[in-house]
Amino acid sequence: MNLSKEKKRTIILLGIVALALLLRLFRLAHQSLWLDEVMRINLASHTSFIDLLKGNYAWDSQPPFYLILLHFWLKISHNTFWIRLLSVLFGVASVPAIYFLGERLFSKKIGLLAAFLLAISAFHIWHSQDANMYSLLMLFAILSIYSTILIFQEDKFIWYIAYLISSGLGLYTHYYFSGLIIALNLFMFIFFKQSKCKIRNWILLQIALGIIIIPDFYYFFELTKSFYNQAIYKKIFSLWAFPYTFFLFATGYSLGPSVRELQSNLSILFVLKQYFLEILISGLIFLVLSGAGFLKLIKSYKKEKWGIIIIILFIPVIFAILGNIFVFPKYNVRYVSTAFPAFCILLASGLLFFRKNAVRFLMLFLLIGIDFYSLYGFYFNPKYFKEDSKSAAAYIKSNMNKSDAIIVTEIKEPFEYYFGRKEQIYGIYGEGENQKINIKRIQKIVDNYSRIWIVYARSSVVDPQGKLLKYFMKNSTELKVIKLPGIMLYLFRT
């Protein structure tokens, strides 16, 4: 039976979607829920819908839309697989979405390749298996870009509505979605002469979007004030943030240095020396493909088409870096994940730059190899695992005496989540540049118990000088030391 080209593409796309689903479901509940996941689960579970809608909740520094979705999702189950499945669904939905974006902008081939690269992306899979808002954020980014292109090309009322919904919900999902909105406005104002959309209509659309998000403005300004008023936060900026962002887009969090190693304030020279080959090989492959992608787009398509990819790729990153310098004290690659769809389309274009099929397949094979090497680390290498609070809680629970206390550094919430109760558990948290371990508080805990368990995690944040362990090594008898992913477990007799 001869199938038409359209049917073949549909079958291929469905196969890519199925692959994306399998990769995101594989070992979905294997790793423990980590701090951010548990904090958002607790917020969504214990905060009423009305309070979430109003933004009346502590800790979380982002708008409420994801928390509202999670609030209703958790009414069905608190099983780890079920909790993370919400992010999986958003991640899988992004695959056909980016296909249609790539097809609309460039060609069906670029759309299919972009969908495939997103489906196997270690970066995207990590966020699709994380009970946070970032897979949803990337989906809204694709939909917002797509609706902008349709407005640019057709200027139909329905696409204005689609833009308002996708962009409005994106802004209610994460404040840094505003970097993408700035990028889309920059694109429309630079290329408005080539657009069927009247500039007046576009400005009115932005005003409508601003009105929609008015309820979020107050909370945003309160948030920025709280950052300035809290001395525990220290502005940290490094020029390495820019290349590191695209390195993570390319390889995910499980190739080269782990996040925990980077948080340990390792020098750049040490990181480059330790992981030289991995960084060099993957970096060169993605640099060549990115360059080829730029050449392909500039050579084969109108400037407004490749212009939007370049603008979307860089403006959200620059916006977040400027935000790190002037407003928020923290830069994180996940904040600029709205730029990731453009990165996938750029790489897809790079594959088509090469005329010989043998070269195309070689480059595709190298991309697949890098992603699956990184995925192997994500799935199976404890070095890249999230802190194993589940195993720590289970071990202590089965070996704990009534006269024991537990001290947990930085990850008290996920430990309590698995431990099942809060009694006899004491949290110690990092305090930025003014960080000090309160020895008097430690002594009061020690005086009331015969044995102390220490769940020692994120030491570079909470105890960079090792004062907590030094105190116990000096004043107590060490009974047990157990190493778990991201955690050192100690038991001392006082």
Side-chain angles (χ1 to χ4, degrees):
M1 181 176 68
N2 292 324
L3 295 173
S4 66
K5 287 185 177 180
E6 198 61 41
K7 285 184 178 179
K8 285 180 181 178
R9 288 193 193 98
T10 302
I11 292 170
I12 291 170
L13 180 60
L14 289 174
I16 292 171
V17 172
L19 175 63
L21 180 62
L22 288 173
L23 290 174
R24 283 154 181 77
L25 290 178
F26 183 64
R27 293 170 74 88
L28 180 59
H30 176 71
Q31 295 184 39
S32 294
L33 295 164
W34 67 294
L35 180 63
D36 282 19
E37 289 179 296
V38 170
M39 295 294 277
R40 290 199 166 96
I41 290 166
N42 288 340
L43 277 175
S45 300
H46 302 133
T47 309
S48 70
F49 169 67
I50 297 300
D51 282 338
L52 288 173
L53 202 60
K54 292 178 179 178
N56 294 335
Y57 47 84
W59 180 79
D60 205 338
S61 59
Q62 295 304 333
F65 185 66
Y66 175 78
L67 288 174
I68 290 170
L69 294 179
L70 189 61
H71 173 80
F72 291 104
W73 188 258
L74 291 172
K75 289 185 181 297
I76 297 174
S77 174
H78 275 69
N79 177 274
T80 300
F81 185 93
W82 176 258
I83 293 169
R84 288 176 172 161
L85 183 61
L86 184 61
S87 293
V88 169
L89 297 177
F90 297 138
V92 174
S94 297
V95 175
I98 200 172
Y99 164 74
F100 289 113
L101 175 60
E103 178 197 33
R104 187 76 190 192
L105 264 176
F106 303 112
S107 68
K108 288 179 169 63
K109 280 186 179 180
I110 287 180
L112 281 175
L113 282 170
F116 177 72
L117 293 177
L118 186 140
I120 66 168
S121 163
F123 177 82
H124 196 268
I125 290 169
W126 195 100
H127 287 293
S128 297
Q129 289 201 349
D130 186 48
N132 276 296
M133 73 280 292
Y134 296 99
S135 66
L136 176 62
L137 191 70
M138 286 184 266
L139 175 60
F140 281 142
I142 296 169
L143 296 176
S144 184
I145 298 164
Y146 188 63
S147 58
T148 301
I149 295 300
L150 290 168
I151 291 169
F152 185 88
Q153 295 176 345
E154 298 179 4
D155 195 31
K156 291 181 179 178
F157 180 73
I158 190 172
W159 305 132
Y160 285 81
I161 300 300
Y163 175 86
L164 282 177
I165 293 171
S166 57
S167 299
L169 291 178
L171 288 165
Y172 274 106
T173 299
H174 203 286
Y175 289 120
Y176 273 111
F177 196 87
S178 52
L180 177 64
I181 299 299
I182 291 170
L184 294 175
N185 275 276
L186 184 61
F187 162 74
M188 289 296 286
F189 285 115
I190 291 174
F191 297 104
F192 75 92
K193 289 184 178 180
Q194 289 83 10
S195 173
K196 290 185 178 181
C197 172
K198 293 179 180 178
I199 199 69
R200 182 190 65 182
N201 292 347
W202 180 259
I203 292 172
L204 290 174
L205 181 64
Q206 303 315 301
I207 292 171
L209 180 62
I211 293 170
I212 287 171
I213 63 168
I214 280 175
D216 227 23
F217 283 156
Y218 174 77
Y219 184 69
F220 172 77
F221 288 118
E222 287 299 308
L223 170 69
T224 55
K225 280 197 301 184
S226 72
F227 274 122
Y228 279 119
N229 293 335
Q230 293 181 52
I232 63 172
Y233 290 103
K234 179 182 179 181
K235 289 188 185 299
I236 300 171
F237 174 73
S238 169
L239 290 173
W240 289 101
F242 194 77
Y244 179 65
T245 296
F246 294 102
F247 178 77
L248 285 192
F249 280 0
T251 64
Y253 298 92
S254 44
L255 189 151
S258 68
V259 175
R260 279 191 291 274
E261 287 176 306
L262 294 174
Q263 287 176 341
S264 300
N265 298 318
L266 297 175
S267 70
I268 296 298
L269 288 177
F270 177 84
V271 170
L272 291 175
K273 183 179 178 182
Q274 188 78 8
Y275 299 100
F276 179 75
L277 277 179
E278 292 178 14
I279 294 172
L280 178 66
I281 294 170
S282 58
L284 281 176
I285 291 169
F286 281 96
L287 196 61
V288 168
L289 267 176
S290 299
F294 281 123
L295 292 174
K296 171 68 178 176
L297 295 180
I298 292 169
K299 182 181 177 182
S300 305
Y301 298 97
K302 293 179 180 179
K303 58 183 178 180
E304 61 266 24
K305 290 196 170 187
W306 55 259
I308 192 170
I309 294 299
I310 293 174
I311 290 169
I312 291 168
L313 186 61
F314 293 114
I315 293 300
V317 179
I318 294 169
F319 173 78
I321 289 173
L322 291 174
N324 170 229
I325 296 172
F326 297 109
V327 183
F328 293 104
K330 194 176 180 184
Y331 176 86
N332 197 306
V333 174
R334 58 190 175 179
Y335 299 164
V336 298
S337 53
T338 52
F340 182 69
F343 183 74
C344 291
I345 290 174
L346 181 66
L347 293 182
S349 306
L351 287 169
L352 294 181
F353 172 80
F354 303 100
R355 294 183 178 181
K356 292 185 177 180
N357 285 333
V359 180
R360 288 182 182 178
F361 283 117
L362 174 63
M363 297 305 293
L364 182 60
F365 176 78
L366 291 173
L367 283 181
I368 294 170
I370 290 171
D371 270 311
F372 276 83
Y373 180 72
S374 181
L375 285 175
Y376 178 84
F378 171 58
Y379 291 138
F380 300 109
N381 190 343
K383 170 184 171 180
Y384 298 107
F385 285 3
K386 299 165 184 177
E387 291 101 350
D388 195 359
S389 301
K390 183 178 180 180
S391 295
Y395 184 85
I396 294 177
K397 204 169 186 178
S398 62
N399 292 277
M400 187 176 179
N401 297 333
K402 290 182 179 180
S403 59
D404 291 358
I406 306 167
I407 294 175
V408 185
T409 62
E410 199 68 18
I411 59 166
K412 180 172 177 275
E413 287 77 12
F415 180 83
E416 286 178 344
Y417 181 87
Y418 286 110
F419 198 72
R421 60 184 177 85
K422 298 182 178 182
E423 296 81 9
Q424 297 170 253
I425 301 175
Y426 301 87
I428 296 178
Y429 298 90
E431 298 177 2
E433 57 184 324
N434 299 321
Q435 189 275 328
K436 290 181 181 178
I437 291 292
N438 191 330
I439 297 299
K440 289 184 178 180
R441 182 178 176 230
I442 301 298
Q443 287 173 339
K444 286 181 180 179
I445 297 171
V446 169
D447 290 343
N448 293 318
Y449 299 97
S450 60
R451 298 196 311 176
I452 303 291
W453 294 87
I454 299 179
V455 182
Y456 199 60
R458 305 192 182 193
S459 57
S460 61
V461 176
V462 71
D463 189 23
Q465 297 176 359
K467 291 182 179 179
L468 181 66
L469 287 185
K470 287 175 183 176
Y471 171 82
F472 278 97
M473 294 291 186
K474 182 179 178 181
N475 298 286
S476 308
T477 303
E478 183 184 288
L479 300 178
K480 285 183 182 179
V481 181
I482 298 168
K483 187 175 182 180
L484 297 169
I487 294 171
M488 290 299 295
L489 206 57
Y490 296 91
L491 175 60
F492 290 97
R493 187 185 303 280
T494 60

